[in-house]
Amino acid sequence: MTGALSPEDLSACPAPLADRSTITLAHGGGGRLMRGLIDRQFVTAFSNAHLDQLHDGAVVDVAGARLAFTMDSYVVHPLFFPGGSIGTLAVNGTVNDLAMCGARPLYLSCGFLLEEGLPLETLSRIVDSMREAAGQADVQLVTGDTKVVDRGKGDGVFISTAGIGIVEHDRAIGPAQVRPGDVVILSGDIGRHGIAIMAVREGLEFETTIESDCSPLTGAVLPLLDAGIDVHCLRDLTRGGLASALVEIAESAGLHISIVEEKIPVRPDVQGACEILGYDPIYVANEGRFVCFVPAGEATRALEIMRGTVPGRDATVIGSVAEDGDHVVTMTSRIGVDRVVDMLSGEQLPRIC
Amino acid sequence: MTGALSPEDLSACPAPLADRSTITLAHGGGGRLMRGLIDRQFVTAFSNAHLDQLHDGAVVDVAGARLAFTMDSYVVHPLFFPGGSIGTLAVNGTVNDLAMCGARPLYLSCGFLLEEGLPLETLSRIVDSMREAAGQADVQLVTGDTKVVDRGKGDGVFISTAGIGIVEHDRAIGPAQVRPGDVVILSGDIGRHGIAIMAVREGLEFETTIESDCSPLTGAVLPLLDAGIDVHCLRDLTRGGLASALVEIAESAGLHISIVEEKIPVRPDVQGACEILGYDPIYVANEGRFVCFVPAGEATRALEIMRGTVPGRDATVIGSVAEDGDHVVTMTSRIGVDRVVDMLSGEQLPRIC
């Protein structure tokens, strides 16, 4: 399901999924199908310089200040999982989108969509986890909204969180700034969030409990910027995993990204779970990992800074950028074979965030 | 259901609704029960100077600029109704929350929560209505998010919209600024949105089609501020109607608001529908109406300015503010009797916005 289909394989599909006339779960998977939906429906309708960048958030000028503005909805199932809850996701996910714009997160607003019959005690536990996460990420929840839908028209709780942050530097950060020769730094091991959710959802038991990596990334990002590192692009790895994030950047930047499989940290328990479940870790969701593109000459200093922080303590270089005409991502496997890595085409795990 | 229970009646309830342990549709009604939920769950957990004001949005300082920041989720059923759609609501509702902060709306972000099986054509129609509404309100949609939930775990489309706007004056606007002697100006006739939704939902037919009043209010608000009118408080009338908005303000301000029923504009077709359905128009939802509190001495000039605008062309004074110890709203009825107006206690029409 997440194998490495070549572009030829994909174009040979007789009836592309994207041509269906209704929304499928795969449209929410963070991969190719979602990207198509966003391009055709939203970018076409609302086209403007900010939206067209398809970044995790928009950076806008307001009265001389550079603000980052972002929004995410959270529909994770189940509501609680090892290492977090829909509440921790709803804070950290939006905090991380702001961090990926190179911004210091300041304020959040939350919209709660509650299903009739939800125990108030469940809501309290979620709110408690949000308060704790907001404290850790040093952001204030300043406004919000509550709606209730009839039983059977929701699923307990959905949360939408918007955030604003301040960009305290002049740097432009995004796929368009990626340059040939840049190195790709990954902030830590991948796949924990997806496997944690999958395990609790399917009642799987491993020797150890695999906890979600859900956490705020500002602690690793802001020191890079404060130190004046020439950060070209930042992207957190969520739905669609490392692979989909890199493919999106390669396509937007019009450059070739090559990564080396054995450089990508995957914990043995996560690797084992992936093998049992038939997943490739590079497609599995994360909620506390990001990639950072910097010039090769700054890689050592960037790594040093990141490794001095909690969210970046296992940071490592996993690849580099070159100017090939193909705009794809390739990965050198453990046995030395190069293969093209495509974006997740549909869904892997629905409602992972 | 929407009658004028006195505070004594309410306190005599043997088992207050608010003590139930699960979420009910009434928690989303915009009235007393929702206010209790917000106070107990959210304000307690996240208490800060911005949130505690319980205004339609927060006004925050960012790098020397005064920004308004707001968020609303939209779950209206059905998705399309005379005069609008969930898309027009999702733009105008958030634009109006910013306007009520005295801000010029600038940017929106939207989170789409789609149910598996939603026809893409339906989504396109909604997106088209949003594009049109955003153009009319002169705001840009700059970022967004899309999530898909399994069939039976949503209801077609829910939309969350956050907005940021700029406050271009030094004025503080909110219930705390309301003063004894202020007059209450209502921007136009009430009840159309609620009745429009009710009619299409229940298949009711009246002689004329009653269209929702859904529209952006900036056109009436910004000229007041630009003209230097000493605006004390602005509040748009949504769930819970005129009554709930005024009760919230009276309680927050610690003042008495008295209004005169025959001064409140209600179209004959809306009045007729309310009589058939057993509703009191002051509790029926609106999506393009607001109240404005100004000192009596500025009322004439404020009315003149508002009446020169499209959203305020039928503006009229409906009451005034006095310093009584009771902090309630009273209404003088058409037969000259004063009665206490309470907030909507639970739900009138679920999923009205």
Side-chain angles (χ1 to χ4, degrees):
Chain A
M1 179 162 154
T2 61
L5 289 173
S6 72
E8 289 71 33
D9 292 337
L10 288 170
S11 65
C13 282
L17 286 170
D19 280 347
R20 290 179 184 169
S21 64
T22 60
I23 290 291
T24 63
L25 280 173
H27 279 109
R32 186 73 67 195
L33 203 55
M34 190 175 85
R35 178 67 180 265
L37 175 74
I38 291 171
D39 282 348
R40 276 191 308 280
Q41 292 277 350
F42 306 124
V43 177
T44 309
F46 301 110
S47 181
N48 60 59
H50 304 293
L51 188 68
D52 297 354
Q53 289 178 29
L54 292 175
H55 201 21
D56 286 332
V59 176
V60 295
D61 280 300
V62 180
R66 284 183 79 207
L67 291 182
F69 182 33
T70 185
M71 164 96 160
D72 256 314
S73 297
Y74 302 89
V75 299
V76 68
H77 174 78
L79 296 172
F80 301 91
F81 48 83
S85 75
I86 191 171
T88 47
L89 276 186
V91 171
N92 289 329
T94 296
V95 161
N96 290 346
D97 280 349
L98 293 171
M100 295 305 113
C101 297
R104 181 182 304 278
L106 297 175
Y107 301 110
L108 300 185
S109 65
C110 283
F112 289 85
L113 228 147
L114 311 176
E115 185 191 8
E116 186 186 14
L118 175 77
L120 283 171
E121 189 268 336
T122 305
L123 181 60
S124 290
R125 284 174 61 203
I126 293 168
V127 168
D128 283 347
S129 68
M130 294 180 75
R131 187 189 59 234
E132 200 177 314
Q136 271 176 24
D138 199 19
V139 289
Q140 278 194 316
L141 194 153
V142 292
T143 185
D145 178 56
T146 308
K147 291 279 165 29
V148 180
V149 294
D150 4 351
R151 205 181 291 265
K153 300 293 183 186
D155 196 13
V157 185
F158 302 137
I159 303 177
S160 294
T161 314
I164 56 182
I166 178 112
V167 180
E168 293 166 324
H169 51 82
D170 301 330
R171 214 172 289 287
I173 293 175
Q177 275 61 49
V178 175
R179 295 285 173 269
D182 280 1
V183 298
V184 184
I185 300 176
L186 172 62
S187 68
D189 68 295
I190 60 169
R192 273 200 258 161
H193 178 70
I195 297 300
I197 296 282
M198 191 63 189
V200 61
R201 203 185 283 174
E202 304 298 330
L204 304 177
E205 289 194 15
F206 305 111
E207 271 178 43
T208 50
T209 300
I210 298 172
E211 294 203 335
S212 169
D213 56 343
C214 182
S215 55
L217 295 172
T218 26
V221 170
L222 297 178
L224 286 175
L225 296 165
D226 290 346
I229 298 286
D230 186 17
V231 174
H232 288 168
C233 185
L234 298 162
R235 181 67 58 99
D236 60 338
L237 312 178
T238 55
R239 286 179 286 180
L242 173 66
S244 299
L246 292 180
V247 172
E248 248 187 55
I249 293 170
E251 291 182 356
S252 298
L255 293 167
H256 179 113
I257 299 175
S258 49
I259 57 174
V260 179
E261 189 170 20
E262 69 179 3
K263 300 279 187 197
I264 301 168
V266 183
R267 284 197 344 192
D269 52 359
V270 172
Q271 184 70 51
C274 281
E275 280 164 16
I276 291 166
L277 296 165
Y279 292 137
D280 184 334
I282 63 172
Y283 289 98
V284 177
N286 312 270
E287 284 293 336
R289 298 293 178 261
F290 70 104
V291 286
C292 170
F293 290 71
V294 298
E298 302 228 44
T300 309
R301 202 158 66 96
L303 268 183
E304 211 175 87
I305 292 167
M306 285 177 70
R307 286 179 180 162
T309 71
V310 173
R313 62 177 171 259
D314 298 321
T316 186
V317 172
I318 61 160
S320 60
V321 179
E323 188 154 27
D324 284 354
D326 55 10
H327 313 166
V328 299
V329 176
T330 55
M331 179 163 78
T332 309
S333 73
R334 286 193 176 76
I335 53 166
V337 179
D338 280 5
R339 63 177 172 98
V340 171
V341 173
D342 197 45
M343 204 179 271
L344 192 63
S345 67
E347 56 160 326
Q348 186 185 62
L349 291 171
R351 300 183 53 190
I352 198 74
C353 61
Chain B
M1 181 164 162
T2 60
L5 289 174
S6 74
E8 289 70 33
D9 292 337
L10 287 170
S11 65
C13 281
L17 284 170
D19 280 348
R20 289 179 183 170
S21 64
T22 60
I23 291 290
T24 63
L25 279 173
H27 279 109
R32 186 73 67 192
L33 203 55
M34 190 175 86
R35 179 67 181 264
L37 176 74
I38 291 171
D39 281 348
R40 276 192 307 281
Q41 292 277 348
F42 305 125
V43 176
T44 308
F46 301 110
S47 179
N48 61 60
H50 304 294
L51 189 66
D52 297 353
Q53 290 178 29
L54 292 176
H55 201 25
D56 286 333
V59 175
V60 294
D61 279 301
V62 180
R66 284 183 81 205
L67 290 182
F69 182 33
T70 186
M71 164 97 161
D72 257 315
S73 296
Y74 301 89
V75 299
V76 68
H77 173 79
L79 296 171
F80 301 92
F81 48 83
S85 75
I86 190 172
T88 45
L89 276 186
V91 170
N92 288 330
T94 296
V95 160
N96 290 345
D97 280 350
L98 292 172
M100 295 305 113
C101 297
R104 182 181 302 278
L106 296 175
Y107 301 110
L108 301 185
S109 65
C110 282
F112 289 85
L113 230 146
L114 311 176
E115 185 191 9
E116 185 185 15
L118 175 78
L120 284 172
E121 189 268 336
T122 304
L123 181 60
S124 290
R125 283 175 61 204
I126 292 168
V127 168
D128 283 346
S129 68
M130 294 179 77
R131 187 189 58 233
E132 199 177 315
Q136 269 176 24
D138 199 17
V139 290
Q140 278 194 316
L141 193 153
V142 292
T143 185
D145 178 56
T146 310
K147 290 280 166 23
V148 179
V149 294
D150 3 352
R151 204 182 291 265
K153 301 292 181 185
D155 196 14
V157 185
F158 301 138
I159 303 176
S160 293
T161 313
I164 55 182
I166 178 110
V167 179
E168 293 166 325
H169 51 82
D170 302 329
R171 213 172 289 285
I173 293 175
Q177 275 61 50
V178 175
R179 295 283 173 270
D182 280 1
V183 299
V184 185
I185 301 176
L186 171 62
S187 68
D189 68 296
I190 61 170
R192 273 201 258 161
H193 178 69
I195 297 299
I197 296 282
M198 191 62 191
V200 60
R201 204 186 280 173
E202 304 298 330
L204 305 177
E205 288 194 17
F206 305 110
E207 270 178 43
T208 51
T209 300
I210 297 173
E211 294 205 333
S212 168
D213 56 343
C214 181
S215 56
L217 295 172
T218 27
V221 171
L222 297 179
L224 286 174
L225 295 165
D226 291 346
I229 297 286
D230 186 18
V231 174
H232 287 168
C233 184
L234 298 162
R235 181 66 56 100
D236 59 338
L237 313 178
T238 56
R239 286 180 285 179
L242 173 66
S244 300
L246 292 180
V247 172
E248 248 186 53
I249 293 169
E251 291 182 356
S252 298
L255 293 167
H256 180 115
I257 300 174
S258 50
I259 56 174
V260 179
E261 188 170 19
E262 68 179 3
K263 300 278 187 195
I264 301 168
V266 183
R267 284 195 346 194
D269 52 0
V270 171
Q271 184 71 51
C274 281
E275 280 163 16
I276 291 167
L277 295 164
Y279 291 136
D280 184 335
I282 65 171
Y283 290 98
V284 178
N286 312 269
E287 284 292 335
R289 297 292 179 262
F290 70 104
V291 285
C292 171
F293 289 71
V294 299
E298 302 228 43
T300 309
R301 203 158 67 95
L303 269 182
E304 208 176 271
I305 292 168
M306 285 178 69
R307 287 178 178 163
T309 72
V310 173
R313 62 176 171 262
D314 298 321
T316 185
V317 172
I318 61 161
S320 60
V321 179
E323 189 154 25
D324 285 355
D326 55 8
H327 312 167
V328 300
V329 177
T330 53
M331 179 162 79
T332 309
S333 73
R334 287 195 175 76
I335 53 167
V337 178
D338 279 5
R339 63 176 171 102
V340 172
V341 173
D342 197 46
M343 204 180 272
L344 193 61
S345 68
E347 56 160 327
Q348 186 185 61
L349 290 171
R351 299 182 55 190
I352 198 76
C353 61

